[in-house]
Amino acid sequence: MGRAVTLRLQAALAAMVTAAAVGVVLPITQASAAAGTATGFATGNGGTTGGAGGQTVRATTGTAIHAALCGRASSSTPITIEVEGTINHGNTSKVSGDSCNTAAGVIELKQISNVTIIGVGNGAVFDQLGIHIREARNIIIRNVTVRNVKKSGSPTSNGGDAIGMESDVRNVWVDHVTLEASGGESEGYDGLFDMKNNTQYVTLSYSILRNSGRGGLIGSSESDRSNGYVTFHHNRYENIDSRTPLLRGGVAHIYNNHYVDLHESGINSRAGGRAKVDNNYFEDSKDVLGTFYTDEAGYWQVGGNIFDNVTWSSPGDENNPAGPDPQSNTSVSIPYPYNLDGATCVPDIVRQTAGANKGLLESGGDCSSPQEPTTPPTD
């Protein structure tokens, strides 16, 4: 055997050992993620394609996810990371490299672009460990569960957010995920899906958010109005105190979602925020739409929604519920095509499609039966 061949074999064996140690299967294909393409505002600003066209690797630990990011030729080299198993603090270490900026105890997508993370096989669970997107663009997260991420107590991760985005983030599609906590702020939890400090062109679709004090926010304070262009569709919010979402400034398109058991408030448009709220089903909830906890008004355009056993509080200096007969007080233009389901069938369609491990099923629109996503074109 020649020296060059021997050296190549030794290098390959060393790589295999390293891969086994961190829990990653070496890339063997050039492939895009599962079928389906981004929808909503994530299609704007040049679109969201994640790791399409790059290599696909398999990861079974958080360290392996970081290693895959750090093993790219550059911080923008496309990559799809297929995740299977439970990702937690015990198997998520910092990895260093020129193409990454990672941290222990959190999945860090920082100062990078063109990445897809997708759950495969028996499923992917991020247990008490959040996904943090910062100074990044063109990111896709699909078919994963993120649960019980804490900002206080032990262990903590990602400021208590299940998925958090901040600092000049652009073009993120989060699809068919399950985000859940086991309580509110007093139990150590924060938001399930937060966007702040100049985060734009985001879509959350076919997902479940449940058992939390806070669903999520767009803008961290009344002065943080640089966020927006966010679409929420075919999601289920269940057993949430408030923030489904909280919108400070910016524009949100909220359609075909099912809201169940919102305890204090729901869609809270304030500080100049503008929400287009179409064909949603609100059930067994309180104050599901309006401006709450501030005297800085927000606005909404409503149509086709169903309010089933929804109660409304009285208006006050810092409380402006849209009901009991919600009417539009602004007009919001939506720049992309979309197919609406009638609100009457939203609970059933969302039940069949939303969340991780549902086969990535999607609505066909017009209350048609859920279907598998179409394979995106390859040219």
Side-chain angles (χ1 to χ4, degrees), residues 25-359:
V25 174
L26 293 175
I28 58 174
T29 60
Q30 295 276 337
S32 63
T37 55
T39 56
F41 274 118
T43 62
N45 191 42
T48 303
T49 57
Q55 289 185 316
T56 296
V57 303
R58 182 73 62 95
T60 58
T61 68
T63 305
I65 294 173
H66 286 162
L69 296 172
C70 295
R72 298 184 295 165
S74 74
S75 62
S76 62
T77 301
I79 189 170
T80 293
I81 305 173
E82 297 181 338
V83 181
E84 184 174 17
T86 299
I87 311 302
N88 55 36
H89 285 262
N91 63 32
T92 302
S93 302
K94 175 182 174 65
V95 177
S96 299
D98 293 336
S99 61
C100 64
N101 188 348
T102 71
V106 61
I107 297 303
E108 194 90 305
L109 307 178
K110 182 178 180 181
Q111 298 169 342
I112 63 175
S113 59
N114 308 327
V115 174
T116 293
I117 294 176
I118 183 167
V120 297
N122 294 319
V125 176
F126 294 78
D127 184 30
Q128 302 182 74
L129 186 142
I131 299 174
H132 189 193
I133 303 170
R134 183 167 185 163
E135 299 172 67
R137 62 179 58 231
N138 194 25
I139 305 294
I140 294 175
I141 301 171
R142 304 184 77 191
N143 200 40
V144 303
T145 294
V146 186
R147 67 188 184 197
N148 291 332
V149 180
K150 284 191 170 185
K151 69 172 183 178
S152 62
S154 179
T156 61
S157 178
N158 191 22
D161 298 334
I163 295 178
M165 291 159 269
E166 62 179 306
S167 300
D168 304 322
V169 173
R170 292 290 185 276
N171 291 88
V172 177
W173 179 34
V174 179
D175 177 67
H176 283 91
V177 303
T178 298
L179 309 178
E180 55 192 6
S182 295
E185 187 175 20
S186 61
E187 288 80 27
Y189 305 99
D190 198 7
L192 295 177
F193 193 72
D194 279 11
M195 292 156 276
K196 51 194 173 184
N197 192 15
N198 196 24
T199 293
Q200 299 180 3
Y201 299 102
V202 177
T203 294
L204 175 66
S205 55
Y206 297 102
S207 295
I208 296 172
L209 296 85
R210 63 189 175 201
N211 304 335
S212 176
R214 297 169 171 174
L217 57 75
I218 304 168
S220 59
S221 68
E222 306 297 72
S223 62
D224 182 14
R225 304 189 186 191
S226 57
N227 311 279
Y229 308 115
V230 183
T231 300
F232 302 83
H233 74 88
H234 294 94
N235 304 298
R236 179 180 173 92
Y237 287 83
E238 180 180 5
N239 191 27
I240 304 282
D241 287 343
S242 62
R243 302 187 180 185
T244 66
L246 164 58
L247 170 64
R248 293 175 167 121
V251 173
H253 187 198
I254 302 168
Y255 72 91
N256 283 158
N257 302 286
H258 186 200
Y259 300 88
V260 185
D261 197 19
L262 307 185
H263 305 149
E264 298 172 8
S265 61
I267 301 167
N268 185 355
S269 181
R270 56 198 267 189
R274 297 166 59 237
K276 183 171 174 59
V277 184
D278 292 330
N279 291 32
N280 301 281
Y281 197 106
F282 300 93
E283 183 177 1
D284 298 337
S285 297
K286 177 185 177 183
D287 283 345
V288 297
L289 175 64
T291 295
F292 305 103
Y293 324 121
T294 183
D295 60 2
E296 297 194 39
Y299 308 95
W300 45 85
Q301 179 182 350
V302 294
N305 302 288
I306 290 178
F307 302 92
D308 180 3
N309 192 31
V310 170
T311 59
W312 302 91
S313 61
S314 300
D317 291 342
E318 295 187 350
N319 201 53
N320 181 29
D325 182 24
Q327 300 293 318
S328 300
N329 57 18
T330 191
S331 177
V332 181
S333 177
I334 301 301
Y336 51 80
Y338 60 101
N339 294 319
L340 279 172
D341 291 301
T344 55
C345 59
V346 162
D348 189 51
I349 289 175
V350 169
R351 176 186 59 80
Q352 295 179 69
T353 59
N357 306 316
K358 291 288 187 70

